[in-house]
C-alpha cells in the first residue's frame, strides 16, 4: 500500500528512446553521438521536435571526464523552438538526475515533453593522463583535497573501498562478483548492440583478469565506450500520439541519505540505493516480488550486488548466492541487466538501463525479451548516489 | 594479469620525495586541519557545544547546528574500516601499487579519514587492524597517513 503522496504515478510516460552508434572508438564528438541518439528517440516516439518543450541534462559540461555536450549545444543543435523547461544538473544523486528533473517538470506542468540525453566518449586514456582527471592537475581543492592526494580522486578505488567492506561484513566473494559479471556477459550475447556481443566469458577468465583496485578486477569495471542514449518523457495525455506503447512512470526514489560524499558515509554496506528504494516502494502498491525484469546498475559489479540487496529483492548479503544460482539470468527468477548491462554492453551511464527497460516493457527486446514483462525496475548510481524508478505498462 | 597474491609481500614505504602527486589546497574551513598536519598534529574539527567530531571540516556542527566549532587534537589512533590495494595510477603522479584506506578514529563512531597505509606489508593488512597516524611531509603540505600501531606508543 502506498504510504506517501505520489503525484507522478501514471502521470508521466516515456514516449521515446534512442541510441547512437556504440563502439570502443568512433572518432566522433559527444555532440554528434548525442544528436544521433536524440533524433532516434524523436523518431521512436512518433512525436516531432516541435513537441519538445523541455530539456534536462546531467551533468552539464563541467570539465570532468564525465562531461557531455552542453545543454546549450544540444538545445541549439536540435533546433528547439519553445523551451519552457531547461535544467542542467551540475551535480546530484546520480546519472538519472536529469530524468528526475524531467518527470517533476511534467507533473508540475512546467513542460509537456522533455528530452534528456547522456553521451560518453571512451575515457580511460584521459583517466591516466596528468591533469585530465578532474583533480585540477597537481592541485586538489575543496573536497578533492581530502581525496586526490591519497590516490582516490574518483573511480575504482572508492568503489573498491565500499566493496571490500561489504565482503568483510557479508562474506561476498570473487565468485559472487564473477557471477554478476558472467550474467551480464551472457546477456550481452543476445544483444547485437552490446560491446561484448560475440565474446563470451568463463569464470576462470574472470578470475584471471587484471587487478585494478582490490577486490575489483578490470572485468568488474564497466566497459568504456563511445555512445549516447536519449530519452523523451511526456505527459500521459500524449499517450495516444505515440508510435508505440507508452511506458508509465509508477514510482521513483531519488534520495541519498546523509550525504553524496563517498568518504563521509557512515555505513558503506548500505548504499544510497536503500534510501531511494524506501522512497520508491512507499509510492506504489507494487512489491519487489512483482518486478518482472530489473536493470540494476552495474557500473561496477559490486554496485549491482548492492542494488539487489538495498532495493529488497534479496536480503542483505544474499545477492551473491542468488546470482550464483542463476536467478538473475534470462529465464531465472528476476532477469537483470538483460541488455548485457554496462559490464557487457558498455558504459551508457544509466541511460541504457532506462532505454532497455522501455524496450522490455514494449516487447521489443528481441532474443533477450522477458516474456510478458509488465513491471520493470530501472536505476542508476552507486555508493551514496541513487535514483530508482518503477516503470509499468 | 596481476592478482592480489602478487602484492602480498610488497612493503609499503612512506612516499618517496620529491612528491609528484596532487597537493591539497586548504580553504577557510579546512585551514586548521592542514596547518595542524604541517605541525605533525592531527587536528579534527569539533563542536564546542555538543562535542561532536566533524570530518571533513565544516563551518558548523551537523548534529546540533551550532556555529561554534574548533579544531582539536585527537589521539591519532584508529582502526581500518576498509582498504584497497590499488594497481593503477588514478591520481596523477601517485604510482601503484599503493593502499587506500578508510580509518575510523577511536574518538567517535565513523569518524573516518580517507588515507593511505604505510610502513606495513600488504599481506598483513586487515579490516579492524589498529593503526596510528604517520605524518608524511610532501613539500608544500603534509598528509596524514597511517601505519600499524607500534608497541612503544
Amino acid at each position: 500500500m502506498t504510504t506517501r503522496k505520489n503525484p507522478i504515478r501514471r502521470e508521466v510516460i516515456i514516449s521515446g528512446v534512442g541510441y547512437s552508434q556504440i563502439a570502443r572508438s568512433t572518432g566522433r564528438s559527444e555532440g554528434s553521438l548525442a544528436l544521433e541518439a536524440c533524433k532516434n528517440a524523436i523518431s521512436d516516439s512518433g512525436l516531432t521536435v516541435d513537441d519538445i518543450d523541455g530539456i534536462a541534462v546531467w551533468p552539464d559540461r563541467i570539465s570532468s571526464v564525465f562531461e557531455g555536450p552542453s545543454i546549450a549545444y544540444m538545445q541549439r543543435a536540435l533546433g528547439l523552438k519553445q523551451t519552457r523547461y531547461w535544467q542542467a544538473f551540475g551535480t546530484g544523486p546520480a546519472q538519472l538526475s536529469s530524468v528526475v528533473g524531467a518527470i517533476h517538470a511534467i507533473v508540475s506542468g512546467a513542460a509537456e515533453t522533455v528530452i534528456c540525453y547522456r553521451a560518453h566518449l571512451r575515457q580511460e586514456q584521459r583517466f591516466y593522463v596528468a591533469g585530465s582527471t578532474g583533480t585540477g592537475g597537481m592541485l586538489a581543492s575543496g573536497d578533492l583535497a581530502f581525496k586526490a592526494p591519497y590516490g582516490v580522486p574518483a573511480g575504482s578505488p572508492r568503489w573498491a573501498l565500499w566493496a571490500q567492506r561489504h565482503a568483510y561484513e557479508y562474506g561476498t566473494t570473487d565468485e559472487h562478483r564473477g557471477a554478476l559479471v558472467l550474467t551480464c556477459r551472457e546477456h550481452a550475447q543476445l544483444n547485437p548492440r552490446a560491446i561484448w556481443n560475440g565474446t563470451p566469458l568463463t569464470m576462470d577468465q574472470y578470475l584471471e583478469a587484471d587487478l585494478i583496485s582490490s577486490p575489483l578486477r578490470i572485468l568488474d569495471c564497466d566497459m568504456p565506450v563511445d555512445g549516447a542514449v536519449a530519452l523523451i518523457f511526456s505527459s500521459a495525455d500524449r499517450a495516444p500520439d505515440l508510435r508505440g506503447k507508452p511506458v508509465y512512470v509508477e514510482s521513483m526514489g531519488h534520495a541519498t541519505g546523509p550525504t553524496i560524499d563517498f568518504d563521509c558515509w557512515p555505513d558503506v554496506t548500505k548504499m544510497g540505493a536503500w534510501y531511494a528504494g524506501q522512497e520508491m516502494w512507499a509510492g506504489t502498491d507494487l512489491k519487489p516480488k512483482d518486478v518482472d525484469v530489473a536493470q540494476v546498475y552495474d557500473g561496477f559489479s559490486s554496485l549491482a550486488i548492492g542494488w539487489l540487496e538495498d532495493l529488497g529483492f534479496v536480503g542483505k548479503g544474499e545477492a551473491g548466492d542468488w546470482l550464483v544460482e542463476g536467478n538473475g539470468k534470462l529465464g531465472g527468477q528476476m532477469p537483470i541487466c538483460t541488455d548485457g548491462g554496462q559490464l557487457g554492453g558498455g558504459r551508457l551511464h544509466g541511460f541504457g538501463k532506462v532505454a532497455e527497460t522501455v524496450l522490455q516493457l514494449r516487447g521489443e527486446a528481441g532474443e533477450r525479451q522477458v516474456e510478458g514483462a509488465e513491471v520493470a525496475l530501472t536505476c542508476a548510481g552507486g555508493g551514496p548516489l541513487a535514483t530508482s524508478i518503477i516503470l509499468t505498462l | 594479469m596481476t592478482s592480489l597474491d602478487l602484492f602480498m609481500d610488497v612493503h609499503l614505504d612512506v612516499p618517496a620525495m620529491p612528491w609528484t602527486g596532487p597537493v591539497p589546497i586548504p580553504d577557510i574551513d579546512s585551514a586548521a586541519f592542514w596547518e595542524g598536519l604541517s605541525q605533525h598534529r592531527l587536528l579534527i574539527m569539533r563542536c564546542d557545544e555538543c562535542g561532536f567530531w566533524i570530518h571533513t571540516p565544516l563551518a558548523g556542527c551537523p548534529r546540533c547546528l551550532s556555529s561554534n566549532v574548533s579544531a582539536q587534537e585527537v589521539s591519532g589512533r584508529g582502526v581500518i574500516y576498509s582498504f584497497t590495494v590499488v594497481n593503477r595510477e588514478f591520481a596523477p603522479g601517485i604510482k601503484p601499487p599503493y593502499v587506500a584506506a578508510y580509518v575510523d578514529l577511536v574518538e567517535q563512531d565513523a569518524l573516518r579519514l580517507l588515507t593511505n597505509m604505510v610502513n606495513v606489508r600488504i599481506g598483513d593488512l586487515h579490516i579492524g587492524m589498529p593503526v596510528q597516524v604517520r605524518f608524511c611531509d610532501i613539500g608544500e603540505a603534509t598528509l596524514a597517513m597511517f601505519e600499524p600501531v607500534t608497541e612503544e606508543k
Side-chain angles (χ1 to χ4, degrees):
Chain A
M1 186 178 147
T2 58
T3 54
R4 68 167 173 91
K5 188 178 171 189
N6 180 10
I8 71 172
R9 186 172 176 275
R10 295 192 75 76
E11 293 294 330
V12 179
I13 53 176
I14 300 183
S15 41
V17 301
Y19 295 84
S20 74
Q21 175 191 7
I22 296 164
R24 279 289 279 172
S25 192
T26 60
R28 296 169 58 181
S29 72
E30 293 147 310
S32 166
L33 295 165
L35 200 51
E36 180 188 1
C38 287
K39 289 174 180 174
N40 286 339
I42 294 167
S43 300
D44 176 66
S45 70
L47 303 174
T48 72
V49 72
D50 289 341
D51 290 311
I52 297 171
D53 59 355
I55 182 167
V57 176
W58 175 94
D60 203 8
R61 189 169 281 278
I62 53 172
S63 301
S64 82
V65 292
F66 286 122
E67 66 192 15
S70 72
I71 193 168
Y73 179 107
M74 289 301 293
Q75 184 184 15
R76 193 160 59 89
L78 287 168
L80 300 185
K81 297 183 186 67
Q82 45 157 7
T83 311
R84 295 195 291 149
Y85 176 77
W86 190 102
Q87 188 165 17
F89 294 78
T91 186
Q95 299 88 336
L96 299 181
S97 292
S98 58
V99 165
V100 175
I103 291 169
H104 286 162
I106 291 165
V107 171
S108 75
E112 187 182 69
T113 291
V114 181
I115 193 163
C116 305
Y117 62 86
R118 189 79 182 92
H120 264 292
L121 295 182
R122 185 168 64 134
Q123 300 161 353
E124 76 269 51
Q125 302 97 327
R126 287 192 278 172
F127 254 115
Y128 306 124
V129 177
S132 65
T133 60
T135 57
M138 293 299 287
L139 302 177
S141 59
D143 294 340
L144 269 178
F146 295 92
K147 304 173 192 295
Y150 299 104
V152 191
S156 306
R158 61 162 51 149
W159 308 112
L161 285 164
W162 286 52
Q164 190 64 57
R165 183 70 194 192
H166 189 280
Y168 171 78
E169 290 198 23
Y170 295 107
T172 314
T173 64
D174 292 343
E175 286 75 12
H176 288 150
R177 285 180 292 272
L180 185 282
V181 175
L182 262 59
T183 298
C184 289
R185 187 66 75 92
E186 195 172 307
H187 294 169
Q189 305 315 311
L190 302 174
N191 179 9
R193 198 184 282 115
I195 201 75
W196 283 116
N197 183 268
T199 311
L201 181 72
T202 66
M203 183 62 87
D204 283 347
Q205 289 171 325
Y206 164 80
L207 292 172
E208 287 169 6
D210 197 13
L211 185 77
I212 296 293
S213 188
S214 64
L216 303 178
R217 298 170 163 80
I218 192 151
L219 294 177
D220 292 299
C221 313
D222 61 2
M223 186 65 163
V225 293
D226 290 5
V229 175
L231 307 168
I232 303 177
F233 293 83
S234 295
S235 163
D237 298 342
R238 297 303 306 263
D241 305 324
L242 302 188
R243 177 196 65 81
K245 283 186 205 170
V247 167
Y248 287 82
V249 178
E250 166 74 15
S251 188
M252 178 168 73
H254 185 58
T256 65
T259 176
I260 58 171
D261 187 297
F262 282 75
D263 307 316
C264 298
W265 187 268
D267 175 6
V268 303
T269 67
K270 187 165 89 174
M271 306 196 304
W274 185 86
Y275 294 88
Q278 296 296 300
E279 182 78 358
M280 180 182 75
W281 295 121
T284 179
D285 295 334
L286 296 168
K287 303 293 177 205
K289 65 175 171 46
D290 298 318
V291 173
D292 299 312
V293 55
Q295 308 304 331
V296 290
Y297 191 74
D298 64 332
F300 290 84
S301 59
S302 51
L303 303 186
I305 286 171
W307 273 105
L308 286 167
E309 296 177 357
D310 287 340
L311 291 184
F313 292 118
V314 295
K316 211 60 204 164
E318 294 175 4
D321 287 342
W322 186 87
L323 289 160
V324 169
E325 290 160 9
N327 292 302
K329 293 185 179 183
L330 284 161
Q333 182 188 330
M334 184 186 71
I336 62 168
C337 302
T338 49
D339 60 346
Q342 295 186 180
L343 293 164
R347 179 191 295 149
L348 299 172
H349 224 212
F351 271 56
K353 302 285 175 195
V354 183
E356 172 69 5
T357 303
V358 170
L359 297 182
Q360 287 285 350
L361 288 172
R362 286 187 193 160
E364 297 175 2
E367 278 191 86
R368 62 186 191 279
Q369 179 65 46
V370 176
E371 288 307 319
E374 294 179 350
V375 175
L377 178 282
T378 193
C379 62
L385 313 176
T387 304
S388 61
I389 306 174
I390 294 285
L391 297 170
T392 61
L393 282 174
Chain B
M1 193 275 283
T2 315
S3 78
L4 187 54
D5 295 342
L6 298 178
F7 292 108
M8 284 297 159
D9 286 325
V10 171
H11 187 272
L12 297 166
D13 295 317
V14 296
M17 290 301 117
W19 177 255
T20 55
V23 174
I25 303 301
D27 57 27
I28 290 175
D29 289 338
S30 68
F33 174 81
W34 295 112
E35 177 60 24
L37 292 190
S38 73
Q39 299 166 5
H40 289 198
R41 299 169 68 207
L42 186 55
L43 304 183
I44 299 291
M45 196 71 85
R46 191 179 197 189
C47 177
D48 297 333
E49 306 291 335
C50 77
F52 191 66
W53 295 97
I54 304 153
H55 188 77
T56 56
L58 299 169
C61 175
R63 185 164 75 175
C64 74
L65 300 187
S66 167
S67 303
N68 298 318
V69 293
S70 56
Q72 298 181 26
E73 190 158 11
V74 293
S75 64
R77 297 294 185 105
V79 296
I80 296 177
Y81 176 77
S82 191
F83 71 96
T84 177
V85 181
V86 185
N87 190 33
R88 287 288 188 281
E89 184 178 343
F90 282 101
I94 299 182
K95 302 296 181 191
Y98 59 96
V99 168
Y102 288 141
V103 167
D104 282 357
L105 298 179
V106 296
E107 277 75 10
Q108 180 175 291
D109 281 350
L111 180 60
R112 188 164 302 152
L113 271 66
L114 174 60
T115 185
N116 295 135
M117 295 307 305
V118 294
N119 293 333
V120 65
R121 178 182 164 269
I122 285 179
D124 291 336
L125 288 167
H126 59 90
I127 288 176
M129 177 182 241
V131 294
Q132 64 192 17
V133 68
R134 169 72 181 225
F135 299 102
C136 295
D137 298 319
I138 58 166
E140 301 154 70
T142 301
L143 299 177
M145 298 189 176
F146 281 79
E147 63 189 6
V149 169
T150 50
E151 293 304 324
E152 57 268 31
K153 276 213 173 175

